[in-house]
Amino acid sequence: MKGETSWISHCFDDMSKEVGGLDSFSELIDEGNKETTAVSVDLILPDDLLERILAFLPVASIFRAGSVCRRWHEIVSSKRFLWNFSNVLSQKPWYFMFTSSDEPVGYAYDPILRKWYGIELPCIQTPNWFIASSCGLVCFMDNDSRSELHVCNPVTKHCKKLEDPPGSKFPDYSALSISVNRTSHNYTVSVVKSKQVPGNFFQWDLSIHIYDSETRMWATSLTEVLTGWRGGDESVICDGILYFLIYSTGGGTPENRHGLVTYSLSGRSSPLLRSFIPVPGPLSCGRLMNLKEKLVVVGGMGKQDRPDIIKGIGIWVLEGRNWNEVARMPHKYFQGFGELDDVFASSGTDDLIYIQSYGAPALLVFDMNQKLWKWAQKCPVSKKFPLQLFTGFCFEPRLEFAP
């Protein structure tokens, strides 16, 4: 299918099968009466220089490079190469789109080469699991007990199952986030659980549970009862601060239906509602993301009299306690989604934000640096029945991170 590339053929496991006994060689090219000697570049360059050159390739091209010859395969498989790769500027984030409501199958979009790859995700069992990503690692949490968690690198397929988090199982709402330290490669996973107090719709038990990969232990950092507010399923960690959305349980005006609260992972915090930050305007839904340690929210802007109907989508960045509007989706792109419900999928990292309607495989990309909107290359799948849903998540394709 046009635009689709099999990811399996680029995996390290398959490289050794393809390399065989190939070695670099020179050949004579006869151009009429002129004879020219072509010298292979890898015969001239020393290993360390070749490693640095290959490290600047996009991830998909690195896998292909490993199939060129035995020497290149050994280079891109070495620990020293991974160290060189880790010092290269971050790769543009990919977007994985689920194409089934029942099976965790789909395609990953590479914005550099503008290609889709058919890849298999490890650990995850259904597309409705909770998903969070940071620096090449992705965390999955089941949608039933909210207790089964896995951290994996979707490119290398390295995966680790975490111990069950503390707190009650089967909470009414949960929010998952992960933050990876680029220097130490340690990571932190947070789960915010929210459960209604029996017989009282206005009061909700909220707890925050933190996993430290260095100690391999969970800790319950906070337990609190919220009145008039409940937790939800949106959270993110930025620069050591956990941000998550809370939702009004007492009616209220449309602009006060959502709120943002913060919790410092490094020390004690005051009661959550003291950190309350109003969201920018009456949002139908809000998606939180970490872009270069800045908190960004992508939200559907509801009509003043009908907040459940989206009239547009905006992007804001939090500066202190104030929101700075970065962009609004142009109407021609908004119309390009066709029917857009009051909720949609959106995630981002580095400088890219992906936005997707649940009802179609169309994918829109916004570049924060260039302030540029662009449609992604068409996904190699089409909608087969009216109720078919599409969703996805973005992740940074890295080779050097492992859980």
Side-chain angles (χ1 to χ4, degrees):
M1 196 174 295
K2 188 175 181 180
E4 174 189 354
T5 303
S6 173
W7 179 254
I8 298 176
S9 63
H10 303 318
C11 287
F12 280 125
D13 291 340
D14 293 327
M15 287 182 191
S16 56
K17 299 177 184 177
E18 297 181 28
V19 170
L22 292 179
D23 285 312
S24 304
F25 62 92
S26 300
E27 63 177 7
L28 298 178
I29 302 175
D30 185 13
E31 295 182 355
N33 297 325
K34 184 177 180 181
E35 189 177 71
T36 305
T37 301
V39 181
S40 180
V41 174
D42 68 321
L43 289 177
I44 302 173
L45 297 177
D47 283 356
D48 58 343
L49 185 55
L50 184 57
E51 286 174 4
R52 294 186 183 185
I53 294 173
L54 294 178
F56 279 91
L57 292 175
V59 170
S61 299
I62 290 174
F63 284 116
R64 295 191 186 97
S67 301
V68 170
C69 65
R70 189 182 304 280
R71 182 190 178 202
W72 285 28
H73 171 67
E74 291 174 352
I75 286 177
V76 300
S77 303
S78 68
K79 291 184 178 180
R80 191 169 69 175
F81 176 78
L82 293 181
W83 184 88
N84 279 325
F85 183 78
S86 67
N87 288 286
V88 173
L89 295 176
S90 62
Q91 298 274 329
K92 292 293 183 182
W94 290 7
Y95 187 86
F96 183 90
M97 184 184 296
F98 292 103
T99 56
S100 169
S101 301
D102 305 313
E103 301 293 329
V105 296
Y107 300 95
Y109 178 68
D110 177 353
I112 297 179
L113 300 179
R114 291 182 59 81
K115 287 187 176 181
W116 291 88
Y117 303 105
I119 70 174
E120 296 180 4
L121 296 175
C123 311
I124 186 172
Q125 297 178 16
T126 60
N128 69 344
W129 279 30
F130 293 85
I131 303 172
S133 68
S134 174
C135 296
L137 295 184
V138 179
C139 186
F140 300 116
M141 180 174 70
D142 77 293
N143 198 22
D144 296 323
S145 69
R146 321 284 173 88
S147 297
E148 182 180 345
L149 287 95
H150 302 263
V151 177
C152 79
N153 182 323
V155 176
T156 64
K157 303 295 189 294
H158 293 151
C159 191
K160 177 182 179 180
K161 186 180 186 301
L162 304 185
E163 296 291 330
D164 291 0
S168 62
K169 291 190 176 182
F170 304 100
D172 295 313
Y173 296 93
S174 298
L176 175 69
S177 56
I178 182 174
S179 177
V180 179
N181 186 307
R182 288 186 181 271
T183 303
S184 67
H185 291 201
N186 293 326
Y187 56 89
T188 299
V189 176
S190 74
V191 178
V192 181
K193 297 184 178 183
S194 187
K195 192 173 183 65
Q196 182 184 351
V197 173
N200 189 336
F201 181 74
F202 294 99
Q203 288 192 319
W204 290 73
D205 288 317
L206 187 141
S207 58
I208 299 175
H209 311 279
I210 306 296
Y211 177 84
D212 185 344
S213 68
E214 190 172 11
T215 63
R216 301 182 182 181
M217 295 179 62
W218 285 95
T220 300
S221 300
L222 178 141
T223 58
E224 195 171 312
V225 177
L226 299 183
T227 300
W229 298 90
R230 64 163 177 82
D233 57 5
E234 279 294 318
S235 70
V236 71
I237 299 173
C238 293
D239 199 23
I241 304 295
L242 171 64
Y243 298 88
F244 57 96
L245 291 178
I246 57 176
Y247 304 83
S248 172
T249 60
T253 58
E255 58 269 20
N256 291 326
R257 294 194 311 163
H258 304 72
L260 180 74
V261 290
T262 69
Y263 178 80
S264 174
L265 299 180
S266 60
R268 287 184 170 273
S269 295
S270 56
L272 287 174
L273 290 182
R274 289 188 184 176
S275 68
F276 183 90
I277 301 173
V279 297
L283 300 184
S284 65
C285 73
R287 304 301 183 202
L288 304 180
M289 53 200 74
N290 178 345
L291 272 66
K292 294 184 175 179
E293 301 307 323
K294 287 283 190 178
L295 176 70
V296 174
V297 61
V298 177
M301 297 179 292
K303 294 184 177 180
Q304 202 69 34
D305 55 338
R306 291 287 306 277
D308 56 326
I309 298 179
I310 291 182
K311 65 177 182 180
I313 293 178
I315 300 173
W316 296 265
V317 61
L318 186 65
E319 303 284 356
R321 294 181 57 84
N322 300 312
W323 295 101
N324 178 30
E325 184 173 321
V326 176
R328 293 196 182 192
M329 183 185 296
H331 190 63
K332 65 176 182 178
Y333 292 107
F334 185 74
Q335 285 184 314
F337 282 111
E339 288 189 22
L340 195 63
D341 297 327
D342 59 338
V343 292
F344 54 88
S346 182
S347 60
T349 189
D350 194 40
D351 292 319
L352 296 187
I353 294 175
Y354 293 95
I355 301 175
Q356 177 189 5
S357 165
Y358 287 135
L363 182 64
L364 186 62
V365 188
F366 179 71
D367 190 308
M368 288 282 285
N369 270 346
Q370 302 179 21
K371 301 296 185 290
L372 180 66
W373 298 88
K374 182 186 297 185
W375 289 109
Q377 195 76 11
K378 186 177 179 182
C379 182
V381 69
S382 57
K383 191 167 184 176
K384 298 179 181 178
F385 50 91
L387 297 181
Q388 185 176 1
L389 298 179
F390 300 88
T391 186
F393 65 95
C394 82
F395 65 94
E396 190 178 335
R398 306 296 301 186
L399 302 176
E400 71 275 25
F401 289 96

